[in-house]
Amino acid sequence: MTRPTSSATSPPFSQVPNAQGRFGDFGGRFVPETLTQALEQLVEQYAAARQDPQFQAELDELLRDYVGRPSPLYFASRLTEQCGGAEIWLKREDLNHTGAHKINNTLGQALLTRRMGKQRVIAETGAGQHGVATATACAKFGFECVVYMGEEDIRRQAPNVSSMRLLGAEVRPVTSGSRTLRDATNEALRDWMASVGHTHYILGSVVGPHPFPQIVRDFQSVIGSETRAQTLARWGRLPDLVVACVGGGSNAAGMFYPLIDDDVELIGVEAGGAGSEPGQHAAPLNFGRPGVLHGSYSYVMQDDDGQTCDVHSISAGLDYPGIGPEHSYWKDSGRVQYLQCPDIDALRAFDALVRCEGILPALESSHAVAKAMTLAAQRPPEEKIVVCLSGRGDKDSLEISRLREKMMP
Amino acid sequence: MSSIDETFQQLRAAGRKAFIPFITAGDPDLAMTAALIATLAKNGASLIEIGVPYSDPVADGPIIQASYTRALNSGVKLSAILNTTRAAAAKIKTPLISMISYAIVLRHGLEKYVADAQESGLSGAIVPDLPLEESAALADICQKADFSLIQLVTPTTPRERAVKIAENSTGFLYYVSIAGITGERAALPERLLEEVSWLREQTPLPVCIGFGISQSEHVRLLAPVADGLIVGSAIVRRAAEAQNRPREEVLREVGAFTAELVSALG
C-alpha cells in the first residue's frame, strides 16, 4: 500500500506549522486581542526553550524519574489471539505517573510557566486526566492551580475531581452550555483574558490558538519517538499500523508526528457515540466541516449559522466538538485516516482488554483498542499494530458499571 | 465614506462625543430588539452595536454570555437578525454595527456576510476574535464595500502594535479599557486615561472606549479623553428585565438610562 508522501514541491508533513501557526489551511490564531501578547510571549519563550539544552535536559530527567518514561511497549498476546490476525501491541501511556499521557505536556508547560516567571496556572479538563496532570505539575513546581471542569464531567469523573483537590488545585465547576469540555475551555479562556499578566494557561490538547497546537504536539511527541525507537530495537522495523483515539487529539498527535514522514499507516479514532445524527457523536473529522472554534480553524461540529453543536460521547475526554488543526491537515492531505467507534464498541473493547490482559483502559483509549481489534482481525499475523493506550481506566470504573447496566442489560 | 465616518464627523463638528450602546439581538426576542433599537436611537445613541449571539463567546462576561444563551435558546438565526436590522435601520439615522464572532462570519462566507449585512442596514462590524494578523481577507472585502471593520486595542497591546492596529481599523478604533471580559466594573484602571490620550495622538480615527463602563461617573471621567464610549452589560442587564416585566416599563428604563449617560457625556 502506498501512502501519500511529500512531493518535491511540498515540504514533508513534519514541516508544519508555519510562523502563523498554520498547518496547511488549518490552525491560526482567532482570539481576542487581549490574548495576543501572551501568545506571542509563549511563541518566543518556547522557541528559546527549544534551543536551550538545559531545558530539554530538565524535561528529560522529569520524564524519566518522575513520570517513569520510557513507557513500555507491550505485546497483548491473548488479545491478539482472540482477534485472530495481526499482532496487537500497546504503548503503555496508562503506566505514566497520573495514569495518562497528559503529564508529558503539563510538565513541559510547567517548565515554560516557570521560565516566563508566572506563578498561577489555569487549565480546562474533560475526563479530568489533564486536570490531574496539571494539578500534579503545579504541586511539584509550587504554582497556584485552577482547573475548569464542566458539571457533567465532574459527575462522571468524580475520582479525578477528588485527586485534583487533594493535589491542592481549585476545581471550578462550569455550568454553562453543555457543561462539558467545550464549556470548560470557554471558561479557562475567559479567566485568561483577565489574568494573562501573571497566569499561564496550560492547554491540554493540540487545539486552541497558535502556538498551543504545536507546543502540545511537541511535548507529546515523546510517545511516538519512543515507539519508533522501541519497535526498531525490538523488531528491526517500524509498525505496519498505529492506532490512537482522537478527542482534541493530543495523544494521537504525539504518537503520529514522529512517524508522519515514514511509511507507517496511521489511524485516528473519533468518538462515534450513539449514532451518526448531529448531537449523537463527537466526530468532527467524520461528520463536521472546517470552521473556527476556540482560536483555531479546523474541522468542527457547527450548524449552518456558525453555532457550535452539542456533541456526545460516553467518554468525557472525547466529548468535544472540535479537533486539533494538525489532524485536519493530516485528514485533508490523506496522510492519516480517521475512523469512528461507537460507544458500545468502546465498552466491549474495554471488557476485552480487561479480561484478556488484565489492563483497565480509559474509556477514551478503549475507542482505539476497539478499532485496533477490528483491524487486527482483518490483517495477517505477520503485521504489527501499535495502539496508543493513552490512559488507565480506574477513573471510569463507576461510570462503566452505570453504563453497562444502561447499555448492556 | 461610511455612515459611521459621517456620524463622527458631525459629532466632531458639534464638539460632541459618541454614545454607543450594545444590545444582544434576539434577547428575549427580535421584537424587543427592534423596540430597543428605536428607544436607544430616540434617547441619543450615536451608533448602536448589535450583538449577534454566539454559542462560545470567550471575550464576554456572564451578563452578555447569559443574554446570548437566552437568544440562542429562543432559536434566533442570523437571517432573522438581519431582517430585524433592515426594518429598524429604515426608521432611524443612527448607524448600526454588528458585534459578531468570526466563527459566524466565516460560516456565512466573508463576502456574503458583508453584502448581506450592508443590505440589512448595518454599517460596520466588530469581530472580537479576529486579531490583526488574521483579518486581511475580511478587511479587504470590507474596504471595497465601504463597510467599516472596527479593530480593537487592549491594555495588553504594545504601543507599536496599537499603531499598526489603528492603521488597519476603519470607522473608529475600539479601545478595550481592561484586560478581561466584558461586564460592569466599579473602578476602571488608572492608566486608562493616559493610554487613550496617547493613542488618540497616533491616529486620525475616532477612539472609543468600551468594557466595564456602567455609570455616569465613568462617563464623565472618560468623556474628555475619548471620541465615544461603549456601554454593553449595563444596558443588556436592564433590557433582560423584559423576561419578567412589562416591556414598556423596561424600554422606558433603558431609555432613561441611555439619556442619563448621554447627558453625562456632555
Side-chain angles (χ1 to χ4, degrees):
Chain A
M1 178 177 168
T2 324
R3 266 169 283 285
T5 48
S6 53
S7 66
T9 50
S10 65
F13 287 110
S14 56
Q15 299 305 302
V16 287
N18 66 11
Q20 285 72 48
R22 292 285 183 157
F23 304 83
D25 291 338
F26 299 103
R29 184 185 285 167
F30 300 91
V31 290
E33 169 64 18
T34 301
L35 298 179
T36 300
Q37 214 35 43
L39 294 168
E40 276 304 306
Q41 182 196 17
L42 192 55
V43 167
E44 281 166 31
Q45 292 285 344
Y46 180 60
R50 282 180 75 163
Q51 302 296 317
D52 178 358
Q54 248 185 322
F55 179 90
Q56 197 54 51
E58 190 173 0
L59 180 57
D60 288 347
E61 190 183 320
L62 281 169
L63 291 175
R64 187 189 66 224
D65 300 343
Y66 188 70
V67 178
R69 303 205 72 94
S71 67
L73 182 68
Y74 166 77
F75 178 44
S77 59
R78 291 227 310 141
L79 190 70
T80 297
E81 207 175 298
Q82 187 189 305
C83 297
E87 289 182 2
I88 301 175
W89 293 69
L90 306 175
K91 177 61 175 165
R92 300 289 307 274
E93 292 299 302
D94 61 314
L95 293 178
N96 291 341
H97 180 43
T98 73
H101 68 291
K102 294 293 187 185
I103 191 85
N104 303 328
N105 169 49
T106 60
L107 287 174
Q109 287 206 51
L111 287 174
L112 285 175
T113 306
R114 198 184 61 191
R115 207 181 164 91
M116 292 186 286
K118 293 182 172 181
Q119 283 295 320
R120 179 175 179 266
V121 161
I122 54 171
E124 85 297 337
T125 197
Q129 291 302 116
H130 175 59
V132 169
T134 304
T136 299
C138 288
K140 162 135 192 66
F141 284 85
F143 300 144
E144 182 190 343
C145 179
V146 173
V147 178
Y148 290 91
M149 187 169 188
E151 253 188 352
E152 166 66 7
D153 293 338
I154 287 180
R155 180 196 65 73
R156 56 181 167 172
Q157 306 281 238
N160 276 342
V161 176
S162 99
S163 298
M164 283 184 267
R165 290 186 172 138
L166 288 172
L167 286 158
E170 181 194 343
V171 180
R172 290 196 187 158
V174 176
T175 55
S176 57
S178 55
R179 293 169 295 140
T180 59
L181 180 54
R182 156 192 159 206
D183 310 283
T185 308
N186 287 339
E187 279 312 317
L189 283 165
R190 286 190 192 110
D191 180 310
W192 208 30
M193 289 279 289
S195 63
V196 67
H198 62 282
T199 296
H200 178 55
Y201 178 15
I202 298 191
L203 222 162
S205 194
V206 288
V207 301
H210 177 62
F212 282 115
Q214 179 188 8
I215 290 180
V216 179
R217 175 201 73 190
D218 290 352
F219 285 141
Q220 291 296 359
S221 286
V222 65
I223 306 172
S225 302
E226 283 178 8
T227 302
R228 204 165 199 293
Q230 286 165 325
T231 55
L232 286 174
R234 201 136 173 184
W235 317 328
R237 67 174 182 94
L238 295 173
D240 299 284
L241 167 64
V242 174
V243 184
C245 66
V246 188
S250 71
N251 88 84
M255 177 57 119
F256 294 166
Y257 182 68
L259 299 164
I260 205 76
D261 293 329
D262 292 307
D263 188 26
V264 175
E265 188 179 356
L266 304 172
I267 291 183
V269 185
E270 294 193 294
S276 59
E277 293 299 310
Q280 294 184 332
H281 56 78
L285 289 172
N286 277 275
F287 300 112
R289 50 189 168 167
V292 164
L293 175 67
H294 291 150
S296 69
Y297 177 66
S298 192
Y299 277 77
V300 60
M301 294 309 305
Q302 212 177 51
D303 71 12
D304 290 338
D305 242 27
Q307 310 292 345
T308 312
C309 301
D310 285 341
V311 291
H312 159 83
S313 169
I314 46 164
S315 139
L318 303 184
D319 199 352
Y320 183 69
I323 177 80
E326 193 160 19
H327 288 291
S328 293
Y329 169 64
W330 288 339
K331 173 197 158 69
D332 276 14
S333 63
R335 175 62 188 94
V336 179
Q337 196 188 352
Y338 293 89
L339 306 174
Q340 40 118 354
C341 165
D343 288 343
I344 186 79
D345 290 6
L347 276 178
R348 291 199 177 109
F350 175 93
D351 282 346
L353 192 62
V354 175
R355 302 283 165 79
C356 290
E357 304 290 344
I359 295 172
L360 247 78
L363 269 178
E364 289 76 16
S365 324
S366 300
H367 288 70
V369 174
K371 203 48 83 177
M373 288 169 64
T374 311
L375 293 164
Q378 298 163 358
R379 302 193 180 203
E382 55 278 13
E383 283 202 13
K384 296 179 197 294
I385 301 176
V386 173
V387 183
C388 186
L389 199 70
S390 55
R392 58 194 290 168
D394 308 50
K395 67 182 177 72
D396 294 316
S397 52
L398 288 174
E399 180 69 357
I400 283 172
S401 312
R402 192 185 73 87
L403 289 168
R404 187 176 281 119
E405 274 173 33
K406 206 171 111 186
M407 298 171 65
M408 303 161 128
Chain B
M1 184 182 283
S2 80
S3 59
I4 298 175
D5 300 329
E6 282 170 28
T7 297
F8 277 104
Q9 222 169 48
Q10 287 162 10
L11 286 166
R12 272 189 176 174
R16 291 179 52 228
K17 308 291 170 115
F19 179 71
I20 310 174
F22 168 98
I23 54 171
T24 297
D27 176 23
D29 55 40
L30 287 167
M32 184 65 180
T33 304
L36 280 166
I37 293 174
T39 300
L40 294 168
K42 198 172 78 192
N43 286 281
S46 326
L47 298 135
I48 300 171
E49 247 185 67
I50 309 292
V52 177
Y54 176 48
S55 53
D56 298 81
V58 297
D60 284 301
I63 290 179
I64 292 177
Q65 194 197 342
S67 165
Y68 278 1
T69 304
R70 281 192 300 273
L72 289 173
N73 287 345
S74 81
V76 71
K77 298 277 181 225
L78 181 61
S79 54
I81 293 171
L82 294 179
N83 286 337
T84 302
T85 59
R86 189 183 306 113
K91 297 180 197 148
I92 54 170
K93 286 190 180 136
T94 318
L96 304 178
I97 314 162
S98 55
M99 166 78 93
I100 184 166
S101 167
Y102 193 61
I104 301 173
V105 176
L106 191 64
R107 175 61 64 227
H108 199 76
L110 305 188
E111 294 202 25
K112 186 166 162 27
Y113 179 72
V114 173
D116 289 354
Q118 209 158 29
E119 186 270 323
S120 308
L122 292 163
S123 306
I126 301 166
V127 188
D129 48 2
L130 189 69
L132 183 63
E133 290 74 11
E134 302 285 358
S135 68
L138 183 61
D140 195 44
I141 294 164
C142 290
Q143 192 85 44
K144 284 181 187 137
D146 198 14
F147 184 78
S148 300
L149 181 61
I150 295 129
Q151 307 263 13
L152 299 97
V153 168
T154 74
T156 60
T157 310
R159 285 186 161 188
E160 237 172 89
R161 181 177 167 82
V163 172
K164 233 164 92 184
I165 292 173
E167 282 166 5
N168 284 277
S169 189
T170 49
F172 64 90
L173 184 62
Y174 192 133
Y175 189 87
V176 176
S177 68
I178 32 190
I181 51 181
T182 59
E184 302 167 65
R185 308 286 203 283
L188 294 167
E190 281 172 19
R191 286 184 58 227
L192 179 58
L193 296 181
E194 191 189 320
E195 284 303 305
V196 176
S197 304
W198 176 85
L199 192 56
R200 268 177 101 202
E201 287 164 17
Q202 315 304 312
T203 173
L205 270 189
V207 177
C208 299
I209 309 175
F211 279 44
I213 303 171
S214 58
Q215 309 160 7
S216 299
E217 292 98 277
H218 296 159
V219 172
R220 272 189 283 272
L221 177 76
L222 299 175
V225 298
D227 295 287
L229 300 179
I230 300 150
V231 176
S233 297
I235 301 261
V236 170
R237 180 167 59 79
R238 285 170 172 80
E241 293 283 309
Q243 294 168 96
N244 30 38
R245 285 177 43 210
R247 294 192 173 192
E248 294 69 35
E249 215 175 288
V250 173
L251 288 167
R252 248 196 324 274
E253 282 171 18
V254 171
F257 181 62
T258 304
E260 178 197 328
L261 296 186
V262 169
S263 91
L265 207 49

